[in-house]
Amino acid sequence: MVAVIRLDNPPVNGFSHRVRVQVGRELDAALGDSAVGAIVLVGAGKMFSGGADIREFNTPAALEKPTLRDLIATIDGSPKPVVAAIHGSAFGGGLEIALACRYRVASPDAKLALPEVKLGLLPGAGGTQRLPRVVGVEEALAMIVSGDPVGARKAKEIGLVDELIEGDLLEGAKEFAKHVVPAQVRTQLDSRLRGNDIARGNDALFEAARAEAARTKRGQVAPLECIACVEAATRLPLAEGLKFERERFEKLMMGEQSKALRHIFFAEREAAKVADLPPDTKARRVERVAVIGAGTMGGGISMSFANADIPVTMIETKEAALERGLATVRKNYAATVSKGKLTQLAMDTRLELIRGTLDLNEAGTADLVIEAVFEEMDVKKDVFRRLDAIAKNGAILATNTSRLDVDEIAAVTRRPRDVIGMHFFSPANVMRLLEVVRAGKTAPDVLATAMQAGRRLGKIPVLARVCEGFIGNRMLSHYLREANFLLEEGATPQQVDRALTQFGLAMGPFAVCDLAGLDIGWEARKRLAPTRSKDVRYSCIPDRICEMGRFGQKTGRGYYRYEAGSRAPIPDPEIEALIVDCASEARIVRRQIGNDEIVDRTMLALVNEGARILEEGIAQRASDIDVIYVYGYGFPAWRGGPMWWADSRGLDKVLARIREFEDMDRVHWKPAPLLERLAREGGRFNP
Ligand code: NAD
């Protein structure tokens, strides 16, 4: 007889304490029942198992016996063959338990992964020891270091799955189990591992994996520990390898990087919650979308909607601009097709969903209109006045403005309740962050709709209130201010960029400015010039660069110069001379600047402004700010975002450092009152 043990804990059959107790009991019963010849382990509902139950994270229940490792040890030592029958997903601990089974069968739609590295961990229940023994070193490294899933067919190919079962999985698995009993029972896993077979000739693989991790996962410890564990699997017997893995796992679990990555994991989920929405708020339906402006952002936003199967009309004023916009969309899709990441058929379907027109009246049928025209208040007001006359009742009117006052835009319409900011990031079809900007009069259901629309696009919507630059760009201004001050005081653009990429940012500030276009910030500074006090320190470097017609990569020159067709920044003596001039005009004596100062000046500028944003209620919570910086500004997730980074450093220390800077500049470095209070109370931004 074949005993069936079912994992049943919706939605992902996580290994909560209750599930572990039940599985342990059923295993014991099956092992003790002489009528049972084999055991099948199967998931109820949509999948086999997603692994640990995240609701138990950081609770005592997570440690209660039996642990997942206890169950795995029982299965591993079972004299009766255990077969894992996998459908949907077998992730993390789910795959580790399946790896301890003598056999694995799967339905063709199944996906298998050990994604722990994404939380700064490694598979700590035997995954790093068993997977290489089952599929070999190369495939195991690929799966464990990337954390990405493999499909069932690939799993069959590499030997991770013994048989694919079309049709009824459980029946197929039982049939399979009957056939392997008792004659074909394979030897115990440890001896199956061809002993040290897998040890030979793998040095090059480990070296290549380390080099790749240093390049693509710069600064992160977990990928290197994953590699070390797989290497251990090739050198140590299973029991010792499991011990080695356990030690490394516990070290990562206690380490700062995993804590930061787990913070971001939960922060991302938390960001979806709007604290003060009435509970009965229902999102409006969004079936048709219009995007006004077919420029950089309009095109990317339209692609995002088409990618989510939502028809969208792009509206321009001039034929040439519309043609250019549509051509860019086509070119971007074609590039994805040529990389093999999209089929021609999918590209055609998506292109069919994007229509172009010069007639603004066509916005009249849209449920959601997103304005992405030039960043000029008068142009935007004109568009919203006309939209007010055209849009149907109940349509949502959103602006993609980066910095402008959404209340002022809303005020030109007779329906300010329907107006909201939906601030996408460039390239909009790629970047996952969406800042949803709630204006003073925005209706709750409009807000709920914008958040929901963001999720439908696969984005991470984060709520902000109105102020100059909202959350992300408001903080960015302070960061860029310090970056430019550092130039005046003695640093070079390449030194600042290098210090910050070493800190972990995806790109340094000046390389980013050159990529985004320097004219954008210049326009904003010109607009704000009348409100700037003459007594406050201001760096003229970025304005001077723009006055020279150097707008960054698009003009081949900015903070750096660029060879035709290349994106590689080359230091430019012309800029170094300009920096020296600006410094002497400002009567600054240039000095040697260390990397620590570069990191502290720029990062603490973010933190101090983040504290004000939090205190003013522009952001709902500190973790929202962290999510914005990780997903929109290339802040390293393994440092948890700027506010988490400050928390980890200790707010008393953060404040002390800011006070040192305040001695040099009383205006810009005035500590945020919230920071002062929390530092005094021993508190944190992220409670
Ligand atoms: P862009 O100059 O590339 O495109 C603007 C487009 O709007 C142009 O094609 C123009 O012809 C069109 N346009 C102007 N007036 C119009 C009107 N009345 N009706 C229809 N079309 C009109 O600019 P962009 O970079 O796409 O920026 C658009 C908006 O998105 C701005 O508010 C900008 O601040 C914001 N934004 C830009 C970025 C970025 O990185 N570029 C990021 C986030 C937000």
Side-chain angles (χ1 to χ4, degrees), residues 292-298 315-317 321 371-375 379-380 383 386 400-402 423-426 520:
I292 318 296
T296 311
M297 294 308 288
I315 308 181
E316 263 289 346
T317 44
E371 166 277 312
V373 305
F374 301 132
E375 184 77 340
V379 181
K380 296 210 187 273
V383 168
R386 290 197 285 145
N400 179 49
T401 179
S402 313
H423 180 208
F424 291 78
F425 287 70
S426 182
I520 300 181

Side-chain angles (χ1 to χ4, degrees), residues 139-399:
E139 299 293 352
L141 277 175
M143 279 182 75
I144 295 172
V145 180
S146 73
D148 293 337
V150 296
R153 287 186 203 285
K154 161 98 183 183
K156 170 80 170 59
E157 226 175 270
I158 63 179
L160 177 52
V161 159
D162 298 287
E163 194 162 296
L164 290 184
I165 294 183
E166 315 262 353
D168 191 306
L169 176 68
L170 183 57
E171 284 313 309
K174 281 159 78 176
E175 205 50 37
F176 179 93
K178 273 186 215 152
H179 280 96
V180 296
V181 174
Q184 298 164 10
V185 171
R186 284 195 216 165
T187 45
Q188 281 286 7
L189 189 64
D190 196 23
S191 48
R192 149 143 66 100
L193 300 182
R194 306 179 295 274
N196 278 337
D197 262 22
I198 52 171
R200 273 182 229 121
N202 284 320
D203 288 354
L205 284 179
F206 292 119
E207 216 169 283
R210 289 197 172 93
E212 166 86 1
R215 201 170 52 78
T216 59
K217 297 176 190 286
R218 189 161 31 92
Q220 297 190 48
V221 290
L224 296 175
E225 294 291 17
C226 287
I227 297 168
C229 286
V230 175
E231 194 165 23
T234 68
R235 307 234 152 103
L236 302 174
L238 183 62
E240 280 178 46
L242 290 174
K243 235 178 94 206
F244 182 94
E245 177 195 83
R246 197 64 207 164
E247 284 163 14
R248 300 300 171 113
F249 176 83
E250 274 166 10
K251 204 172 104 203
L252 288 177
M253 193 68 162
M254 301 306 295
E256 289 299 324
Q257 293 197 0
S258 174
K259 283 185 195 154
L261 285 162
R262 281 177 280 149
H263 160 68
I264 285 297
F265 177 85
F266 287 110
E268 186 189 320
R269 279 147 190 80
E270 193 67 16
K273 299 179 192 152
V274 180
D276 61 345
L277 271 192
D280 55 347
T281 309
K282 275 193 33 205
R284 299 184 190 175
R285 283 164 74 96
V286 175
E287 279 163 15
R288 300 200 65 85
V289 174
V291 173
I292 318 296
T296 311
M297 294 308 288
I301 295 169
S302 301
M303 287 173 77
S304 294
F305 280 98
N307 295 349
D309 230 7
I310 302 169
V312 49
T313 307
M314 265 203 312
I315 308 181
E316 263 289 346
T317 44
K318 294 195 190 73
E319 184 73 41
L322 182 60
E323 278 313 313
R324 209 178 319 122
L326 288 168
T328 307
V329 166
R330 272 194 297 273
K331 200 181 80 195
N332 285 338
Y333 276 132
T336 317
V337 170
S338 68
K339 282 186 210 142
K341 290 187 183 161
L342 188 72
T343 64
Q344 184 64 45
L345 183 68
M347 163 169 166
D348 295 343
T349 316
R350 289 177 195 188
L351 279 175
E352 266 172 38
L353 288 169
I354 303 179
R355 261 175 41 74
T357 175
L358 298 176
D359 182 4
L360 190 66
N361 287 313
E362 292 200 28
T365 56
D367 307 302
L368 167 64
V369 185
I370 301 178
E371 166 277 312
V373 305
F374 301 132
E375 184 77 340
E376 283 169 38
M377 186 51 102
D378 289 342
V379 181
K380 296 210 187 273
K381 280 185 176 168
D382 178 55
V383 168
F384 272 80
R385 258 186 223 106
R386 290 197 285 145
L387 282 175
D388 190 24
I390 292 166
K392 67 180 186 190
N393 247 339
I396 293 172
L397 308 182
T399 170

Side-chain angles (χ1 to χ4, degrees), residues 380-531:
K380 296 210 187 273
K381 280 185 176 168
D382 178 55
V383 168
F384 272 80
R385 258 186 223 106
R386 290 197 285 145
L387 282 175
D388 190 24
I390 292 166
K392 67 180 186 190
N393 247 339
I396 293 172
L397 308 182
T399 170
N400 179 49
T401 179
S402 313
R403 294 176 163 270
L404 299 177
D405 184 341
V406 184
D407 287 315
E408 197 179 329
I409 295 172
V412 304
T413 70
R414 286 160 302 170
R415 41 174 128 180
R417 290 171 52 79
D418 295 338
V419 177
I420 193 164
M422 287 177 77
H423 180 208
F424 291 78
F425 287 70
S426 182
N429 53 316
V430 177
M431 295 290 287
R432 296 201 51 212
L433 181 64
L434 173 68
E435 242 181 340
V436 173
V437 186
R438 164 191 213 168
K441 294 190 176 154
T442 304
D445 62 338
V446 170
L447 181 52
T449 313
M451 298 290 284
Q452 193 189 65
R455 282 191 296 276
R456 272 172 81 190
L457 302 184
K459 309 267 180 223
I460 302 169
V462 183
L463 188 62
R465 284 192 188 268
V466 175
C467 65
E468 161 72 31
F470 319 124
I471 298 173
N473 284 339
R474 172 168 157 187
M475 287 168 66
L476 191 75
S477 298
H478 293 259
Y479 162 80
L480 291 177
R481 176 200 76 217
E482 286 304 312
N484 280 295
F485 285 173
L486 286 162
L487 296 184
E488 289 180 340
E489 289 167 40
T492 58
Q494 52 276 23
Q495 189 196 351
V496 173
D497 280 356
R498 200 178 330 109
L500 288 165
T501 48
Q502 276 168 5
F503 174 77
L505 291 192
M507 286 171 85
F510 299 118
V512 169
C513 286
D514 275 1
L515 176 66
L518 301 182
D519 46 332
I520 300 181
W522 194 26
E523 289 305 326
R525 288 193 301 278
K526 284 195 269 193
R527 176 166 55 79
L528 295 173
T531 61

